[in-house]
Amino acid sequence: MILKPIPKIRPDTTARLFPPIDERTTMFWIQPGSPTLLDVDEIAENMYEAIPLLYPVDTDYMILSWNRIPIAVNYHTDVYVFVYDIVQLLEDIQTANFADAYVSTGSSDFFAQWWIRKEKDELVIDSHWDTVVGNYEFLLNERSRLTVETAVLTGEWLKLLRRLVDDLTSKSVRMKDEDLFLRTKALLARPPSGTEA
């Protein structure tokens, strides 16, 4: 499968492609896509080492929308770098004393920093974007603040985690250390924060 490169976006075209939004508008969603799966014969050290073994470089991207700006995230090269931080964040969010957190995605093609704080039933995320596929970090930095309901952010990230767990399970990928994998399954087994009775 050959993917066409995602074109760079010129600053003078952004107003047409991404119309202005009200700062209060919440727009965060994740589309996991349908990535190709490889057979994994070797035993991976852990979940983050298993992910790049499972997905080839040229496959469907995960799409993350931040304030109506779509961001392409590669399963092979990007997702494994920050999956631990997302699992840790979702675990922390569901604790009663959660107040704030910091997440850095750390990937060379998806490098962002998020400063997250809780305000009632919402999360306010101030971000800085260093690198994304398409080279339109400038636009993301113009729309750096995102306000999202806790349950919405949790539910959207669970889409990705469910994709990872289902794919690893379907290919019977073996891991020496299953701690992160089991923590991820535990998150999927309970309702998202903010939806409990």
Side-chain angles (χ1 to χ4, degrees):
M1 178 180 181
I2 300 176
L3 296 179
K4 295 182 179 179
I6 298 176
K8 294 182 179 180
I9 298 178
R10 294 165 42 195
D12 58 356
T13 65
T14 57
R16 176 172 52 83
L17 293 174
F18 307 109
I21 61 172
D22 189 298
E23 186 175 310
R24 295 168 297 177
T25 301
T26 297
M27 290 299 291
F28 179 84
W29 51 259
I30 287 174
Q31 179 181 309
S34 299
T36 301
L37 304 182
L38 300 173
D39 292 325
V40 181
D41 295 326
E42 63 184 280
I43 301 175
E45 190 66 32
N46 46 47
M47 183 175 172
Y48 16 90
E49 286 198 7
I51 291 170
L53 295 174
L54 180 64
Y55 302 106
V57 175
D58 296 330
T59 189
D60 270 4
Y61 288 94
M62 178 192 95
I63 303 299
L64 181 151
S65 177
W66 181 279
N67 281 329
R68 296 184 181 170
I69 304 172
I71 305 160
V73 182
N74 188 290
Y75 273 91
H76 178 86
T77 59
D78 300 332
V79 170
Y80 81 96
V81 179
F82 63 85
V83 65
Y84 176 89
D85 297 280
I86 296 303
V87 170
Q88 184 68 57
L89 174 65
L90 297 190
E91 289 175 338
D92 291 346
I93 282 174
Q94 297 191 34
T95 61
N97 60 347
F98 174 77
D100 55 61
Y102 168 77
V103 172
S104 174
T105 59
S107 170
S108 59
D109 289 327
F110 178 58
F111 192 3
Q113 299 177 82
W114 300 325
W115 293 267
I116 305 162
R117 69 180 186 276
K118 185 176 182 180
E119 292 188 0
K120 297 182 180 179
D121 294 331
E122 295 181 328
L123 299 172
V124 178
I125 308 175
D126 290 307
S127 66
H128 181 77
W129 301 82
D130 292 292
T131 310
V132 294
V133 174
N135 302 104
Y136 49 91
E137 303 86 4
F138 66 94
L139 182 56
L140 287 158
N141 286 321
E142 288 175 1
R143 302 184 180 182
S144 60
R145 174 166 291 185
L146 176 74
T147 302
V148 59
E149 292 181 8
T150 302
V152 170
L153 181 130
T154 302
E156 292 302 307
W157 279 118
L158 287 178
K159 292 180 184 177
L160 170 64
L161 298 184
R162 184 169 301 281
R163 163 62 65 191
L164 297 176
V165 167
D166 287 351
D167 289 350
L168 290 165
T169 301
S170 72
K171 286 295 185 177
S172 301
V173 178
R174 296 169 295 166
M175 292 167 265
K176 294 178 183 177
D177 180 356
E178 292 191 328
D179 177 68
L180 184 62
F181 183 68
L182 295 175
R183 288 167 60 189
T184 303
K185 291 179 71 174
L187 282 170
L188 292 167
R190 63 190 184 194
S193 176
T195 64
E196 296 92 337

